[in-house]
Each structure stands twice: as structure tokens, then as C-alpha cells.
């Protein structure tokens, strides 16, 4: 019997999508791995569909997982010390690592950073002997034409909180035959002139990207669909900050064509089986690659008249 399993796709640094439904059968393997140009750290999440009251996916231990490019071949370790979990808790959650998040999370360091234009292969052998293979070519990063670095955006501040209803716009040029995405990631929050780490911030955002074609510039629009929420922790006590401003990173990324088709299906919220595998043989999910351009920006409340 086939059922829908909730999955989350990590596209690039600080870019995530909400969990979506993928039609699966019990026992099917699922892989999520997206290489990021410019970093030598890689992570692969290997799961398998199980059936309880509802279908779900659990991590798979004991597999041999390798990344290869050219003559170089790197064996990844399961849940190695010093690497983050493949599944992260939300900033508003008191849970640092979700239960079971390290199971099936394989990570390691490549001999050199992932490079645009290079082809990479994924090789997985499960304890049962089942094989999973994947391949991807890393795209070139987009060219961000606007905003300039350290641009300031004025956003609303009202009874709903800081930022709700604000819009951040960008102009860019992405290579043909690639997908593209834009997101805003928190860096530093300010309350009363005092800085707080942005890792405990949430930016609810709706992202739209328009591909122009014909050599014209593409455009991205990020709508803050709710207030920006940042927290500070003192022991076991968590407090919501009253924000004056927020330093953030505008991340604009391209990703390979297979992943692009996969993400198009995500927009509907349910991925059909014929589109539920990108760059993979023997598993559902995605083995892809991305390249990101970054622009530091600052969000501020309305200026006083």
C-alpha cells in the first residue's frame, strides 16, 4: 500500500523548504543530499519508509556512504562528532536536536571544496547489500545585481511585531537550465542597541522568483509573512526580543536541472512518484548541487519623522 510521507528538502546553506508529501511505499529508501559550492563539508541523510498509524521515515544506520569526484573518493561517517544533525530544531523550540536526528545522518570533509562545473557521484551500500547511486554537476552561482552589499530595508513595526508585511526585492542573473531560489537568513539581532546571535531567530517568509529569459534580469521577492521572532536564552529561560533592527544575509542560489524539476513539483505540496527522485537511482529524494551568492542586508523599523 502506498502512502504519503512528509519530507523536507535542504537546498543550500540556510535555505530550507517546509515538509512536503511524497507518495511512497513501505520500505522504500529516501536520500536527501545537496552539495554546496565553496564548502568541503558534505552531509547525506538516508531514511526508509516505515508504517505505523501514518507513514513516516526513519534514519538508516550501518550503510557505506561515499562521495566521489574524479579519482577522489571520500567515505562519510555516521553522526561524526563536530557535525550538526541533518535535521535541525526550529529556533523557537527548546529542543536542540530532535530525537533520532543523528540516525542515518552521514557526514564528512572532502579533500577540497565543492567546485562549480565539477561532477560528483554518490555511492551508498546498505547493510542488506542494496545499492543507491546518484550524480550531479555543480552549477555556476547567480550574479546578484541588486541590492548592493549592506543595503538597508525599512520594514513595518506594529502590533503584529517587527517586520511583518515587509518586502525585500532583488535583481539577479542565473545561468540557463538551472533552478534558482532566494531566502533571507538571520545573522545578528539588535534590542536596545545590544547585539544577539541570529541563530535563535525565525524569519517567516514567502519567496517568489521570476525568470525573465532572453538575457533580461531575473527578479526575486521575499515577503515577510509574519513578524520576525528572535529569542535570548538565560539558563532554562527563553525571552522574546523586542527588535530594533536585524542584520541578515540575502542568499540567492542556483541548483542543478534535476533538482530544479524536483523543486517545481514541491510547489504543489505533493510530489508525484514520477518526479520524486532527482539525480538518484535506487531511492526517492534528491542528490543535487547548489551555488549561492550572498548579500548582507539590514532590516530596520520605520524611521521617526
Amino acid at each position: 500500500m502506498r502512502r504519503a510521507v512528509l519530507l523536507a528538502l535542504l537546498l543550500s546553506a540556510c535555505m530550507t523548504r517546509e515538509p512536503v508529501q511524497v507518495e511512497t511505499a513501505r520500505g522504500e529508501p529516501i536520500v536527501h543530499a545537496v552539495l554546496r559550492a565553496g564548502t568541503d563539508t558534505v552531509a547525506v541523510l538516508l531514511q526508509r519508509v516505515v508504517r505505523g498509524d501514518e507513514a513516516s521515515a526513519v534514519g538508516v544506520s550501518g550503510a557505506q556512504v561515499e562521495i566521489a569526484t574524479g579519482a577522489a573518493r571520500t567515505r562519510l561517517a555516521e553522526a561524526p562528532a563536530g557535525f550538526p544533525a541533518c535535521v535541525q530544531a526550529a529556533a523557537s523550540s527548546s529542543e536542540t536536536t530532535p530525537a533520532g536526528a543523528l540516525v542515518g545522518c552521514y557526514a564528512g570533509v572532502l579533500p577540497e571544496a565543492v567546485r562549480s562545473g565539477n561532477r560528483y557521484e554518490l555511492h551508498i551500500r546498505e547493510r542488506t547489500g542494496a545499492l543507491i547511486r546518484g550524480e550531479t554537476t555543480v552549477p555556476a552561482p547567480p550574479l546578484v545585481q541588486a541590492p548592493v552589499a549592506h543595503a538597508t530595508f525599512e520594514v513595518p513595526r506594529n502590533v503584529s511585531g517587527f517586520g511583518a508585511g515587509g518586502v525585500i526585492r532583488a535583481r539577479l542573473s542565473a545561468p540557463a537550465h538551472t533552478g534558482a531560489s532566494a531566502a533571507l537568513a538571520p545573522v545578528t539581532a539588535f534590542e536596545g542597541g545590544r547585539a544577539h546571535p541570529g541563530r535563535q531567530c525565525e524569519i517567516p517568509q514567502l519567496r517568489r522568483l521570476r525568470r525573465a529569459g532572453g538575457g533580461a534580469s531575473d527578479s526575486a521577492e521575499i515577503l515577510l509573512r509574519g513578524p520576525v521572532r528572535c529569542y535570548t536564552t538565560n539558563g532554562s529561560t527563553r525571552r522574546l526580543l523586542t527588535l530594533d533592527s536585524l542584520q541578515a544575509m540575502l542568499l540567492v542560489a542556483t541548483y542543478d536541472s534535476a533538482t530544479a524539476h524536483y523543486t517545481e513539483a514541491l510547489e504543489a505540496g505533493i510530489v508525484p512518484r514520477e518526479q520524486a527522485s532527482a539525480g538518484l537511482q535506487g531511492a526517492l529524494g534528491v542528490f543535487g548541487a547548489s551555488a549561492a551568492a550572498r548579500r548582507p542586508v539590514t532590516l530596520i523599523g520605520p524611521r521617526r519623522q
Side-chain angles (χ1 to χ4, degrees), residues 26-118:
R26 182 179 180 180
E28 283 188 293
I30 303 168
V31 171
H32 279 170
V34 177
L35 306 181
R36 295 179 287 115
T39 178
D40 59 2
T41 302
V42 297
V44 175
L45 178 61
L46 175 62
Q47 299 176 305
R48 188 169 295 281
V49 178
V50 296
R51 181 180 172 184
D53 294 334
E54 294 183 357
S56 61
V58 297
V60 177
S61 289
Q64 296 179 14
V65 181
E66 296 180 331
I67 300 288
T69 180
R73 201 175 183 102
T74 302
R75 176 82 173 267
L76 306 186
E78 185 176 3
F83 287 80
C86 288
V87 179
Q88 299 291 324
S92 59
S93 171
S94 59
E95 185 180 10
T96 54
T97 301
L102 296 175
V103 179
C105 183
Y106 299 81
V109 178
L110 302 179
E112 62 180 19
V114 174
R115 293 184 180 181
S116 293
N118 281 10

Side-chain angles (χ1 to χ4, degrees), residues 92-255:
S92 59
S93 171
S94 59
E95 185 180 10
T96 54
T97 301
L102 296 175
V103 179
C105 183
Y106 299 81
V109 178
L110 302 179
E112 62 180 19
V114 174
R115 293 184 180 181
S116 293
N118 281 10
R119 179 175 174 272
Y120 293 82
E121 297 178 354
L122 172 67
H123 299 271
I124 299 176
R125 179 184 292 272
E126 298 188 57
R127 285 187 296 184
T128 60
L131 299 177
I132 300 170
R133 293 185 175 88
E135 62 178 56
T136 186
T137 299
V138 185
L143 173 64
V144 179
Q145 300 159 338
V148 298
H150 306 292
T152 297
F153 292 87
E154 186 175 310
V155 298
R157 190 200 330 261
N158 48 44
V159 292
S160 297
F162 178 89
V167 180
I168 289 82
R169 294 182 174 88
R171 287 189 294 107
L172 62 133
S173 177
H177 308 298
T178 64
S181 182
L184 202 61
V187 177
T188 306
F190 290 88
E191 180 192 54
R194 184 176 179 182
H196 298 268
R199 64 178 176 270
Q200 294 194 71
C201 293
E202 297 172 335
I203 305 179
Q205 52 194 286
L206 176 64
R207 304 183 277 261
R208 301 189 184 98
L209 187 101
R210 297 179 178 87
R211 302 299 296 268
S217 296
D218 303 321
S219 63
E221 183 178 87
I222 299 173
L223 172 65
L224 304 183
R225 56 181 177 84
V228 176
R229 298 188 182 276
C230 297
Y231 301 83
T232 183
T233 304
N234 184 6
S236 60
T237 303
R238 290 169 57 81
R239 181 176 67 84
L240 180 65
L241 299 177
T242 301
L243 294 179
D244 303 321
S245 62
L246 178 74
Q247 291 181 349
M249 191 67 69
L250 175 64
L251 299 166
V252 183
T254 53
Y255 37 97

